[in-house]
Amino acid sequence: MFLPTTKEEMTALGWQQCDVILISGDAYIDSPFIGVAVVGRILENLGFKVGIIGQPDINSEDIKRLGEPRLYWGVSGGSIDSMVSNYTATKKFRNSDDYTPGGKNDKRPDRATLVYTNLIRRHFKDTVPIVLGGIEASLRRTTHYDFWSNRLRKPILFDSKADYLIYGMGETAIREFSTALDKGLNPKEVRGVCYISKEPVEEYIQLPSHDECLKNKEKYIDLFDDFYKNNDPISAKGLCQKIDNRYSIQNPPCDYLNEEEMDEVSSYKYQRDLHPFHKPQGKVKCLETIKYSIQTHHGCWGECNFCAIGVHQGRTIRTRSEKNILWEAKEFVKDKEFKGIISDVGGPTANMYGYECGKKLKKGTCDDIRCVDFDRLCKAMKVDHSRHLKLLRDIRQLPGIKKAFVASGLRYDLIPADKKHGYEYLKELVNHHISGQMKVAPEHTSDRVLKLMGKPGKQPLIEFKKMYDRLNKEAGKKQFLTYYLIAAHPGCEEKDMHELKQFTTHELKMNPEQAQIFTPTPGTYSSVMYYTEMDPVSRKKIYVEKERNRKERQKDIVIDKKYYQRRKNQIAECKAKDCYEKFFIIAINKRLYKCICNISQFYKNYGI
């Protein structure tokens, strides 16, 4: 049974009023992969009456359809940041939305969290508290750079006029917060909660004020350093930031779920479907992926600088038990619509399942060292694929399971690092758990850019590809690798994209079909680099491409199939015209490309 989204459903349940009403930028999809649905089921399990309004019509009184809740409103922008969902990296509006019925992007407003909060305030005067949650709010809980307005914005609690914010995954926080309100207690003591105060909390870390950040970019880096380092439930301290004449207070993070609690949350009776209220409007595309997928764990310690998973989900892996995961796979088999194909068995990084750093589990994440960096893997992190390997084999043996894919993120560099089980693990994937291709994410190949990205160097990729090619040859299969690549990341110049193009052509023996332009999103060091134009570690100035056409040109360099042939023709033409050491402009595909005509310098710069 779904949680109610209409008054008729409430009446059928005998409810006069909901205790909590959750608002989301997504249509109501009841799935363990959808944050609002998980929160709803957690609260339901505690005995609260919970209603959900997905994608309320902001031009009507649709927000009033369930009435007013007894305890609080919970507001989320949805599973994806609404600005990322609505706009490309070059700020063009996206026409499609995988979480909207029918697929047309016409239901999710820009800055959805702010819009929904204001909608509640407009229609319900002096209402119960409004609580923000989800990734859009979580990553905006301090002063943050906003790419779409190109400025620093205040913490979202100040812009939205909400009362509280629960950050991160927040499963424990939502339980304690709701129980406190229900008992008439002060929820400001709950870990994982942010709120506004007239007075500072002296024992918390005092962040640079919003005004200081506006005046001094290095102060903003200082703020982000403290924000980033204080996300672990074991080691983190609370944060306090002055905003005008008030203070943004961030309590230390709530505790992570343990394995038993992970199993419990995964075992709630999710319908794994779109609520019937939305179905007349069409299907939601995301269900094609998540309906029959299994989430094995939360968290990622990869710490890519452009990714916010480590801040939002945490840098410590929390796993479900094998027994619980196998139970979920067996439940799929009972479904009449299930065709025997599990779309994915994984998490933010699939091959981090089942192992962690013992030191981190006792003392929390390290402030001065990363688990994995450009040229090293911390010795304390013992990479071990054996548990995930056994899990995949056990799933494969279940009656009714024809195929179980591993389609989510995979750290290819960890496989060569696992000397005991890495080769056997990759062999299992190649033989049984991929279909035609495997996606990996080197993102770039320039050492300088990779260091700024927080990604490993080229050598692990080369080792991984050799292993992959060898295993496919042994299996008699023609399966390919596809690569996620990023253009215009802070520090990346056109010459770096030429280097990337050369590497993909000569080392990887392929022409990339796609690359994405870097999007600065709140909660990442890469966005800090984009705004400050500084390396946040050395504080030295770095090149940052901010002009849209030149960003697109960086992307074009790496995906253009005929690029090198044109370049060689241009060199020959320059040589014939004897125009050494001059600059010239050539129009290609209605874009202007500038190059140096000195042949030796051209070779050196662009690696042809």
Side-chain angles (χ1 to χ4, degrees), residues 80-94:
I80 302 176
D81 184 295
S82 62
M83 299 304 288
V84 175
S85 178
N86 287 350
Y87 296 94
T88 68
T90 53
K91 300 183 182 180
K92 296 175 183 177
F93 188 75
R94 298 185 194 272

Side-chain angles (χ1 to χ4, degrees), residues 39-196:
V39 169
R41 293 300 182 182
I42 288 173
L43 293 174
E44 178 192 43
N45 193 59
L46 290 173
F48 293 109
K49 299 173 182 175
V50 186
I52 295 181
I53 301 177
Q55 297 184 329
D57 181 359
I58 64 174
N59 298 311
S60 70
E61 296 188 345
D62 190 31
I63 198 77
K64 299 170 70 174
R65 94 164 82 123
L66 294 178
E68 186 175 19
R70 179 176 67 90
L71 289 177
Y72 66 89
W73 300 88
V75 175
S76 167
S79 300
I80 302 176
D81 184 295
S82 62
M83 299 304 288
V84 175
S85 178
N86 287 350
Y87 296 94
T88 68
T90 53
K91 300 183 182 180
K92 296 175 183 177
F93 188 75
R94 298 185 194 272
N95 294 317
S96 62
D97 187 331
D98 290 353
Y99 297 83
T100 295
K104 187 178 180 181
N105 189 14
D106 58 0
K107 298 284 195 306
R108 191 193 309 270
D110 291 354
R111 309 190 190 282
T113 302
L114 304 183
V115 172
Y116 296 149
T117 303
N118 289 333
L119 205 59
I120 293 168
R121 293 287 185 206
R122 188 191 317 157
H123 290 286
F124 297 91
K125 306 300 180 183
D126 301 318
T127 189
V128 293
I130 299 175
V131 184
L132 307 184
I135 194 164
E136 181 166 301
S138 178
L139 300 181
R140 290 171 167 81
R141 58 189 188 266
T142 62
T143 292
H144 57 280
Y145 173 65
D146 182 79
F147 169 62
W148 298 273
S149 58
N150 192 29
R151 64 185 177 91
L152 292 186
R153 292 181 69 117
K154 295 177 182 179
I156 197 169
L157 271 178
F158 287 79
D159 282 348
S160 68
K161 300 178 182 177
D163 300 284
Y164 301 97
L165 185 155
I166 293 178
Y167 67 91
M169 300 293 280
E171 303 102 331
T172 304
I174 202 73
R175 290 170 172 168
E176 295 179 1
F177 180 90
S178 304
T179 301
L181 278 186
D182 191 42
K183 293 181 177 179
L185 303 175
N186 186 356
K188 292 181 179 179
E189 302 299 321
V190 175
R191 293 175 66 99
V193 167
C194 299
Y195 60 92
I196 297 173

